[in-house]
Amino acid sequence: MPQCYLNGEYVALRDARISPLDRGFLFGDSVYEVLPVFDGRMFLFREHFDRLARSLREIRLENPHTHEEWHAILQQLFVRNGGGDMYLYLQVTRGMEFGRNHAFPLVPVKPTVFAMASPLPVFTDEDRAAGLSAITVQDFRWGRCDIKSTALLANVLMKQQAADAGANEAIIVRDGEVLEGSSTSVFIVVNGVLVTPPNSHRILPGTTRDAALSLATDSMPVEIRSISIDELRAADEVWISAATRDVLPVTRVDGAPIGAGRPGPAYLRLSEAFGALRQRLAGTPAYTAPE
Ligand SMILES: Cc1ncc(COP(=O)(O)O)c(C=O)c1O
């Protein structure tokens, strides 16, 4: 039985309990992170915990742990779950109080801190060779999608719309502009140039997106600018990225092929560069405290 971390203790996931009065449950008053572990090493640890610190600051909730403490908590969690490859999910809620008041509790309450380890989704070589399919959907989320909030109902409905259409992802469009996927960042390649929309309150600043952009600058020009839905459909390549999946090719959008309908050459280069980055990082500490 997998072990999870809940408020300072490691317990069997089956036995973990939180109160129905928890504000995460009642209001979605909580933020989260997801980060992969490759070969027993957390990947992009600092980037994920800088983003968690930012999400917490934006919702005016004190970070219950330093980066060092988070590192120690999660290191022990994945060791207890057998190490190797997996992903870690962690969530911090504003805690519980008796009653149901939208405004923050008047008396300080302890945040709820939860973390669990899960197997990484598997993408076979055949999946990668065929590429994924996506549909486009209109944005109906709130105005602060840069906060990694657990209030994900709109994203849930969008992903289900994609699933109902037999597609893997829903690409979100607002006022004719492509923003991101329901749980991924989006890129296109046009005439050899890699393009992704700028960070704003409309998208989550993706850790994998930033890593992909740094890697791509070695092999192709990069532009950070808005992308129209017409450009998406006419692109030579479309990619999506997320921590548990790194970068994946999208070869069909709204039922029509992208480019040649196969993963393109720019994707194959980037995917190789990602593999090389993991190998370079293997054996180095996942986090070292600043001097
Ligand atoms: C809406 C949204 N955009 C982008 C991403 C990608 O972010 P990351 O690469 O840090 O996983 C996610 C990941 O969960 C997401 O939910």
Side-chain angles (χ1 to χ4, degrees):
M1 168 55 66
Q3 294 245 315
C4 68
Y5 173 89
L6 184 60
N7 298 328
E9 283 175 38
Y10 295 92
V11 292
L13 189 51
R14 186 176 39 203
D15 299 329
R17 297 284 180 274
I18 62 159
S19 165
L21 292 174
D22 194 283
R23 294 177 62 94
F25 180 67
L26 290 180
F27 298 114
D29 187 357
S30 70
V31 295
Y32 75 109
E33 271 301 326
V34 173
L35 77 162
V37 177
F38 298 120
D39 220 358
R41 182 188 183 283
M42 287 180 266
F43 189 64
L44 303 179
F45 177 90
R46 182 192 300 275
E47 289 77 355
H48 283 282
F49 283 85
D50 285 353
R51 185 171 66 186
L52 178 72
R54 179 180 181 279
S55 294
L56 287 166
R57 217 169 32 243
E58 294 297 317
I59 69 161
R60 297 162 60 191
L61 180 55
E62 198 180 325
N63 194 335
H65 297 297
T66 62
H67 279 31
E68 287 81 0
E69 288 166 353
W70 279 116
H71 187 272
I73 289 168
L74 295 181
Q75 178 85 21
Q76 190 168 158
L77 178 67
F78 74 70
V79 167
R80 282 170 179 258
N81 282 284
D85 291 353
M86 64 183 70
Y87 77 86
L88 304 174
Y89 171 92
L90 63 109
Q91 179 174 349
V92 183
T93 87
R94 207 180 303 276
M96 62 145 283
E97 63 175 339
F98 182 58
R100 185 179 173 279
N101 306 304
H102 287 63
F104 301 167
L106 288 174
V107 188
V109 296
K110 276 192 154 199
T112 301
V113 180
F114 170 68
M116 65 177 171
S118 304
L120 281 168
V122 177
F123 288 95
T124 61
D125 288 347
E126 290 81 56
D127 292 337
R128 278 183 198 266
L132 303 182
S133 59
I135 57 164
T136 54
V137 294
Q138 291 304 312
D139 199 2
F140 54 91
R141 304 169 301 164
W142 73 323
R144 290 303 308 274
C145 298
D146 56 312
I147 299 171
K148 201 162 167 63
S149 152
T150 59
L152 288 169
L153 184 55
N155 305 59
V156 165
L157 293 174
M158 289 168 176
K159 185 76 99 188
Q160 187 56 41
Q161 203 180 322
D164 291 345
N168 304 99
E169 179 58 304
I171 294 180
I172 304 167
V173 176
R174 178 177 280 262
D175 301 328
E177 275 183 27
V178 172
L179 297 173
E180 60 180 344
S182 70
S183 62
T184 55
S185 308
V186 173
F187 304 80
I188 62 170
V189 178
V190 191
N191 298 327
V193 180
L194 180 64
V195 189
T196 195
N199 283 333
S200 71
H201 284 180
R202 294 280 174 218
I203 71 173
L204 185 77
T207 56
T208 323
R209 165 192 183 273
D210 289 351
L213 289 176
S214 313
L215 290 172
T217 46
D218 291 341
S219 61
M220 61 191 106
V222 169
E223 282 179 14
I224 298 184
R225 61 163 175 82
S226 59
I227 297 171
S228 72
I229 186 165
D230 293 339
E231 271 185 296
L232 172 80
R233 293 191 172 129
D236 301 319
E237 301 185 26
V238 174
W239 314 341
I240 54 173
S241 70
T244 53
R245 285 156 281 186
D246 62 59
V247 180
L248 291 170
V250 174
T251 50
R252 286 174 311 284
V253 172
D254 293 330
I258 294 297
R262 288 190 304 277
Y267 169 74
L268 297 174
R269 280 203 305 280
L270 202 273
S271 179
E272 207 168 290
F274 243 100
L277 172 67
R278 275 192 221 151
Q279 273 179 2
R280 265 200 316 281
L281 293 176
T284 66
Y287 176 71
T288 44
E291 301 277 299

